[in-house]
Amino acid sequence: MANKEVYSKITTHVLQEMKLKGEKIAMLTAYDFSMARLLDEAGIEVILVGDSASNVMAGHKTTVPITLNDMIYHASSVMRAVSRALVVVDLPFGTYQGDSLEALHSAIRIMKEAGANAVKMEGGIEIVDSVKRILSAGIPVIGHLGLTPQSIHKFGTYVVRATEENEAKKLVEDALVLEKAGCFGIVLEKIPAKLATEVTQKVKIPTIGIGAGNGVDGQVLVLHDMLGITQKFSPRFLRRYHNLSEEIKGSVQTYIEDVKSVSFPNDREQY
Ligand code: KIV
């Protein structure tokens, strides 16, 4: 089993080694210093500064509005906390799809201004020129296929992707294209478990699933979902490890009562 002693610092090469050894990779999102520090101390291998920050931090309905400056702010906060985990940062919508030079500039800003370790990009063959240009500058890239939330306005819904043969075939081809381009891994979101297993067996780079079954090389969840901070989002793939929303509300209500009843602060809590 992988553990903190064996891997003192997680790199893309370590992830590759883990796939070869059949050791599962654990990845979670984080967007701020305090949470990132807890995740790193707990031994998480990969921290994703996801553009899901658009939803869980900024309250937007989709990941579309978040900006490159927003992502750099979140990523810089995470980088100040982390000493062991590999930190991957999402390139946000509109910063890499149209033009490979613009994509390169966006990725360089994330690497230079935030000090990130790698970037993540959504899409297959359509974005491969941008992927290659970023890789040619020495910046590690992880792909993202299946349900790619930046395309929500095209999909129209967050249902499982690639259930039809044509879309499944394209997904496998896209995975091979991303591997050939030089990506160090691929995130597979909300696709049938059988298809995710097939992709995982076909590519030599690690696959990280979210709603993609357990035949992949690792798993990722949005931190606020798995801790139960978000309340209404309950897809089948989400396992909640905590009910923090109730705990936080309970603590805040107790604090309000203590303030109103003047039981806080007590004699030992003042100077
Ligand atoms: O932004 C994000 O949190 C993600 C994960 C859902 C994979 O892309």
Side-chain angles (χ1 to χ4, degrees), residues 27-29 31 48-55 63 71 90 120 122 144 147 149-150 187-189 208-210 220-223 225 237:
M27 174 168 170
L28 281 171
T29 65
Y31 320 98
L48 171 65
V49 184
D51 58 359
S52 49
S54 182
N55 308 93
T63 58
M71 291 305 296
D90 261 329
K120 177 164 82 59
E122 296 184 5
H144 184 160
L147 176 62
Q150 291 177 12
V187 169
L188 297 172
E189 180 163 354
I208 312 286
I210 170 163
V220 57
L221 284 175
V222 169
L223 185 68
D225 297 336
F237 69 77

Side-chain angles (χ1 to χ4, degrees), residues 12 67 92 109 124 235:
T12 58
T67 66
R109 281 199 63 201

Side-chain angles (χ1 to χ4, degrees), residues 75-91:
S76 310
S77 310
V78 166
M79 289 311 297
R80 284 191 281 274
V82 172
S83 56
R84 176 176 175 268
L86 181 85
V87 179
V88 178
V89 181
D90 261 329
L91 278 182

Side-chain angles (χ1 to χ4, degrees), residues 102-154:
E102 189 190 356
L104 177 62
H105 286 152
S106 305
I108 287 177
R109 281 199 63 201
I110 285 184
M111 301 302 281
K112 272 183 103 89
E113 294 177 39
N117 303 136
V119 297
K120 177 164 82 59
M121 299 163 70
E122 296 184 5
I125 185 84
E126 313 80 15
I127 60 149
V128 77
D129 288 344
S130 295
V131 169
K132 283 186 189 160
R133 194 141 188 188
I134 293 171
L135 283 163
S136 72
I139 300 171
V141 176
I142 184 166
H144 184 160
L145 298 172
L147 176 62
T148 46
Q150 291 177 12
S151 302
I152 187 57
H153 295 299
K154 183 177 86 178

